């Protein structure tokens, strides 16, 4: 069992790493945060097999706190580990600001120097991550993360301020950061010029980020789903959802109701079609039409019925019994008129997928009864 110490365990990065490691049965986890008594730190360091030093200061009351919270704390940790004489691996989160000439950057650079010196002194494995902007769940909004602020404020209907939408940002996702940290436990890492990498790095403009987040909010009205094939959009959407107000997880759908039952659109996508829910009353038949290019999949999840097909120009009728007791997808091929009938005593619920969103200008739906003479 490996004993892992995380400093800054209640911070954004620390919390995400902590909850991930807590799920593992091969890890004994030690945590240190600002609420802990500072005298506890040395005892925790004595027990650790590896240290993730994630604590730091980025919004101080005065600039001196940059030095004490970043450089001095790291130096303290390195001195104590070196004094033990045990080669305890040490990983820290630095920042791309360490390459800049400002008080915060200087304090992070000082922390880096302390870690590299510790590694040289006793031959311990050291890992310095110069992270760009990190985004993801549990990041504090209206603090020092633009993504967190935009997600929170837009989700809550609050104003945001974007001074220059053309600004280019480099970002890494919190789950990718945690994955890189956990890989260190197996001795696996990527490094360039002595600094460990988190991959992938997403390069995107501020305006693109804001436009995407605003589209996420609007997607409830449009029933749309973001492009999940785009890795950054997928991660940003997950981040946005984590900032939803706790009383706004649900949202209503527009149900088209008549005496036959109802039809409700659930999800629409530009490239993967749409999903709808159809409810049919007992004895009701819906459909009796066919499509040139549009195709569908039907899945009855409750009740029972039958789906009938007849190829256009032919006489033979094919029947497929369907039931919520045996989930089975039925493809609706082009060129076949089709209908679906509720043959049970209760409402029949069918999940329907169509390969395209409905276009009233080109509906590609031609009426023709399946059973001639009925």
């Amino acid at each position: 069992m490996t004993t892992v110490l995380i400093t800054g365990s209640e911070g954004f990065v620390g919390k995400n790493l902590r909850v991930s490691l807590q799920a593992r049965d091969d890890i004994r986890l030690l945590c240190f945060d600002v609420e802990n008594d500072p005298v506890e730190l040395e005892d925790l360091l004595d027990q650790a097999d590896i240290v993730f030093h994630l604590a730091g200061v980025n919004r101080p009351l005065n600039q001196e706190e940059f030095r004490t919270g970043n450089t001095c704390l790291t130096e303290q940790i390195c001195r104590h580990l070196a004094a033990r004489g045990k080669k305890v691996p040490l990983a820290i989160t630095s920042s791309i600001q360490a390459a800049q000439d400002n008080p915060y950057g200087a304090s992070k650079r000082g922390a880096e120097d302390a870690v590299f010196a510790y590694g040289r002194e006793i031959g311990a494995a050291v890992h310095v991550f110069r992270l760009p902007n990190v985004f993801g769940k549990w990041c504090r909004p209206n603090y020092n993360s633009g993504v967190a602020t935009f997600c929170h404020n837009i989700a809550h209907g609050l104003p945001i301020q974007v001074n220059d939408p053309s600004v280019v940002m480099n970002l890494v996702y919190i789950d990718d950061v945690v994955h890189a940290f956990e890989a260190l436990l197996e001795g696996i890492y990527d490094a360039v010029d002595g600094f460990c990498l988190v991959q992938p790095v997403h390069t995107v403009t501020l305006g693109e980020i804001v436009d995407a987040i605003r589209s996420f909010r609007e997607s409830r009205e449009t029933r749309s789903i973001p492009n999940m094939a785009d890795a950054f959009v997928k991660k940003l959407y997950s981040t946005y959802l984590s900032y939803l107000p706790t009383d706004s997880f649900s949202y209503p759908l527009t149900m088209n109701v008549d005496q036959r039952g109802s039809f409700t659109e659930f999800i629409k996508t530009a490239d993967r079609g749409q999903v709808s829910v159809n409810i049919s009353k007992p004895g009701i038949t819906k459909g009796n039409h066919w499509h040139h290019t549009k195709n569908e999949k039907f899945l009855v999840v409750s009740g029972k019925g039958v789906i009938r097909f007849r190829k256009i120009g032919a006489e033979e009728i094919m029947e497929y019994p369907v039931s919520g007791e045996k989930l089975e997808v039925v493809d609706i091929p082009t060129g076949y008129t089709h209908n679906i009938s509720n043959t049970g005593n209760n409402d029949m619920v069918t999940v329907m997928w169509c390969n395209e969103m409905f276009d009233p200008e080109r509906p590609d739906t031609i009426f023709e009864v399946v059973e001639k003479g009925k």
Side-chain angles (χ1 to χ4, degrees), residues 2 24 50 52 89 125 127 179-190 196:
T2 302
R24 295 177 52 165
I50 183 171
F52 288 94
H127 308 278
H179 177 75
F181 288 168
E182 291 200 71
L184 284 181
L185 298 175
E186 311 301 326
I188 301 170
Y189 62 92
D190 293 323
C196 292

Side-chain angles (χ1 to χ4, degrees), residues 112-143:
E112 294 176 354
D113 292 342
V115 171
F116 287 131
Y118 162 70
R120 290 191 299 269
E121 179 181 350
I122 67 168
V126 295
H127 308 278
V128 176
F129 289 83
R130 271 192 176 180
L131 297 177
N133 296 280
V134 184
F135 71 102
K137 64 184 183 302
W138 302 333
C139 186
R140 182 177 172 182
N142 296 296
Y143 187 61

Side-chain angles (χ1 to χ4, degrees), residues 82-100:
R84 289 180 60 189
K86 184 180 178 182
K87 299 177 181 180
V88 178
L90 173 61
I92 71 164
T93 46
S94 184
S95 166
I96 55 175
Q97 289 292 314
Q100 303 299 317

Side-chain angles (χ1 to χ4, degrees), residues 136-209:
K137 64 184 183 302
W138 302 333
C139 186
R140 182 177 172 182
N142 296 296
Y143 187 61
N144 66 346
S145 167
V147 172
T149 299
F150 297 148
C151 285
H152 174 273
N153 286 18
I154 291 174
H156 287 76
L158 300 174
I160 63 170
Q161 181 176 337
V162 180
N163 295 325
D164 184 359
S166 67
V167 168
V168 176
M169 298 184 68
N170 293 313
L171 306 103
V172 289
Y173 184 52
I174 187 60
D175 286 6
D176 295 325
V177 175
V178 170
H179 177 75
F181 288 168
E182 291 200 71
L184 284 181
L185 298 175
E186 311 301 326
I188 301 170
Y189 62 92
D190 293 323
V192 172
D193 297 329
F195 296 101
C196 292
L197 303 177
V198 173
Q199 296 286 1
V201 176
H202 302 281
T203 301
V204 60
T205 68
L206 196 60
E208 289 170 333
I209 293 171

